[in-house]
Amino acid sequence: MKKWDTRGFMFTNTALVVLFIPLIIEQFLNILVGLLDSLMIAHVGEAAVSGVSLVDSCFNLLIMLFFAVATGGAVVAGQYLGRKDKENASRAANQNVWFMLFVSLVVMGCVYLGQNLILNGIFGQIEPDVEGYARTYLLIVSASIPFLALYSAAAALFRSMGNSKTPMKISMLMNFINFGGNALCIFGLHMGSEGVAIPTLCSRVVSAVVLLCLLKNPNLKVHLPKKLTFHWDGNLIKSILIVALPNGIENSMFHVGKIAVLSLVSSFGTYAIAANAVANTMSSFQVLAGSAAQLAIVAVVSQCLGAGEHEQAKYYTIKIHKMTYLGMLLFNAVIWGLMPLILHWYDLSEQATHAALIILIMHGVSSILVWPTSFVMPCIFRASGDGKYSMTAAIITMFAVRVFMSYVFGALLGFGVIGVWMATVLDECARSVLYVARFRSGKWLQKKVIS
């Protein structure tokens, strides 16, 4: 094991903790509200749970697309900050916000125009009541797409400065609006899927507006101009796209694969859709520490690389992974202890509950052992401009392992929805091997984002 002389390194242990803890809290709140949403919509019925989860699976694709573009802006801003170039960091921030707005408006238009394709073409034959809940939810939540994109961009820019507290506070506000609105609409006004859609829309509008206003503070190291005007800067957009394009393609293909798998899950019946929805929500808690680490490692490594400190980039990659493994172990221990109570709250059928229990035990083991190297480690490649490698590896394993083996385990061998998650674990193992090999080769340090 290599010994590091950390004197003069850019981030102290305290600085890492200050960055990491708010990210964990923010991710926890986001996932918790998602869990509470699904528990509340469960009171409407299993068909409502299934309908909302189907649409959310598509929106996860959009969320990851916006996250990819936001990461591009954050990496460029972070590398300029590593060079102590605040002016170009702020210019990159302005370019990224406008670019996100344009992309999100196009995406929103495509979703509204393609709603029938989404509901009938992608998911195949679903039961009429499930489709009804899904369509209502889709039409309302789609209006939040531009605000979701702007929030993602602004939050990523705050994190690039090492400031994760501000996005955490705004996330708390967003989740309070969401949770309170859901409770009012479902239990007070007895709404269906619109009871979770309307509060989601409102919370995203408020959070995006507030965070953008805060980002206009000229005292911040990275800030937006007081008057938001767009002037195309080809060099900055190119730098952003060096990170965003491979990341966006990777995330898009990843979720296209997940949607393809979801179409298979839908063919197993409503019980399988409901079990898969519960597993998706609870598995987010299982990888909570890793989700926070994905955000933290981009902010840290991008600044190290911008400053030309390659050894520090390697050191912090290893250190953050150690923190992540510890967090994974702790969170999964808690989840396994609470699992019988949580599954009881969902009040699903016995078949759906049994399937969800097996899935969560299996995925929990994978989360502790391989998830950090399969999903946190590729973030350092994106921060260095080596996103093409992680994109290629992810697409190959997604379709050659996760999608293909889902049909083998789930349909051919008859394991159903459990077989789909067996393929998921196998995919995570394959990714881990490829990414660790790339990290050790050091080739990711030879790439450039900014000139």
Side-chain angles (χ1 to χ4, degrees), residues 343-418:
L343 292 176
H344 175 73
W345 286 344
Y346 272 103
D347 195 26
L348 301 178
S349 64
E350 182 178 351
Q351 188 178 15
T353 300
H354 177 69
L357 178 62
I358 294 175
I359 290 169
L360 290 173
I361 292 174
M362 176 174 58
H363 188 257
V365 174
S366 176
S367 299
I368 295 171
L369 297 178
V370 298
W371 202 95
T373 47
S374 58
F375 285 99
V376 178
M377 186 162 286
C379 292
I380 68 168
F381 306 145
R382 296 164 196 148
S384 69
D386 192 29
K388 289 182 181 179
Y389 178 84
S390 60
M391 174 191 73
T392 303
I395 292 175
I396 291 173
T397 60
M398 182 68 198
F399 291 97
V401 180
R402 184 175 299 204
V403 175
F404 177 73
M405 295 307 298
S406 288
Y407 281 86
V408 172
F409 291 148
L412 187 61
L413 298 180
F415 288 108
V417 67
I418 296 174

Side-chain angles (χ1 to χ4, degrees), residues 7 110 137 219 234 322 387:
R7 290 173 295 180
C110 291
Y137 184 72
N219 294 323
K322 289 179 179 178

